[in-house]
Amino acid sequence: MTRAENSVIIVDEVVMNKIYIVRGEKVMLDRDLAELYQIETKYLKRQVKRNIERFPDDFMMELTAEEVEVSRCQIGTLKQGENIKYLPYAFTEQGVAMLSSVLNSAKAIQVNIQIIRIFTRIRKMLLDNTEIRLAIEKPEKKTDNNTKNIEVVFRYMDELIDKKESVKPRKQIGYKLPKK
């Protein structure tokens, strides 16, 4: 097989739809990864448990029963009323990368490469959006300062007008000429 034939093609949108935010982290769930690798979830979990030292807390987390319950509504993990035997694992970008060393198959490596590229693209999009937002806020701050300056000028003008109106006419000093 050539390298092109050996490569795995998964539509990016499929992978992107399997990335969730849990505890403020972008993660993928064990069952979704197993589906992408075309292996059983229990095999993936077994390999992770055998190599648990490779998966610190910032690489992988086990969801709580409460988080699983919430995820049912958000991502349709289980039908209401069904029980889950084991709590799912959620893998961060680094955890997904580590999976390629634990799952020793060419398919797992190819899928991991694609997933990491998608995570990188998402990070880049978020960074680009942040830069755009900052670029928009920069002129906004300038206009805010200009608005404040204009308000100060108008306030001084109002004070001057009030002062001019409140000044009583002064009595003239000097010689008075007879009226003609």
Side-chain angles (χ1 to χ4, degrees), residues 11-171:
V11 180
D12 290 351
E13 286 75 26
V14 170
V15 176
M16 285 182 170
N17 288 335
K18 295 179 184 290
I19 296 175
Y20 308 107
I21 305 291
V22 176
R23 300 179 199 165
E25 296 280 338
K26 291 184 294 297
V27 297
M28 293 186 75
L29 300 179
D30 55 5
R31 70 168 177 284
D32 294 332
L33 288 164
E35 180 185 325
L36 292 172
Y37 299 141
Q38 296 178 348
I39 60 173
E40 290 184 34
T41 306
K42 67 181 180 181
Y43 174 74
L44 185 141
K45 290 180 105 161
R46 186 179 325 132
Q47 291 302 96
V48 169
K49 286 178 183 174
R50 286 180 181 166
N51 298 283
I52 198 69
E53 67 279 353
R54 293 179 183 244
F55 297 95
D57 292 342
D58 57 331
F59 282 31
M60 178 196 75
M61 59 187 97
E62 187 172 28
L63 298 183
T64 64
E66 195 173 288
E67 289 169 330
V68 171
E69 193 63 37
V70 169
S71 70
R72 286 182 181 181
C73 301
Q74 292 178 351
I75 55 180
T77 56
L78 289 173
K79 294 177 185 158
Q80 200 64 29
E82 284 187 25
N83 261 341
I84 53 170
K85 192 172 183 180
Y86 302 104
L87 295 173
Y89 290 148
F91 296 89
T92 64
E93 181 179 353
Q94 294 84 4
V96 171
M98 188 58 73
L99 277 174
S100 66
S101 66
V102 171
L103 303 172
N104 296 320
S105 73
K107 182 166 191 89
I109 292 168
Q110 290 299 317
V111 169
N112 272 9
I113 289 170
Q114 190 171 2
I115 291 171
I116 296 302
R117 285 182 178 150
I118 290 171
F119 268 110
T120 305
R121 196 173 321 131
I122 289 172
R123 190 178 323 106
K124 187 177 184 302
M125 285 187 315
L126 290 174
L127 183 63
D128 288 346
N129 286 343
T130 302
E131 288 174 1
I132 290 170
R133 194 176 69 240
L134 289 174
I136 290 171
E137 286 177 4
K138 199 174 192 178
E140 211 173 89
K141 286 180 183 176
K142 285 182 182 178
T143 58
D144 283 346
N145 287 339
N146 291 344
T147 304
K148 289 176 186 174
N149 291 340
I150 291 170
E151 286 175 5
V152 169
V153 168
F154 278 118
R155 194 171 339 121
Y156 284 137
M157 286 177 65
D158 288 342
E159 287 176 13
L160 286 174
I161 290 171
D162 290 343
K163 230 181 199 182
K164 191 174 184 179
E165 289 174 355
S166 66
V167 174
K168 296 179 183 176
R170 294 181 7 181
K171 193 175 181 183

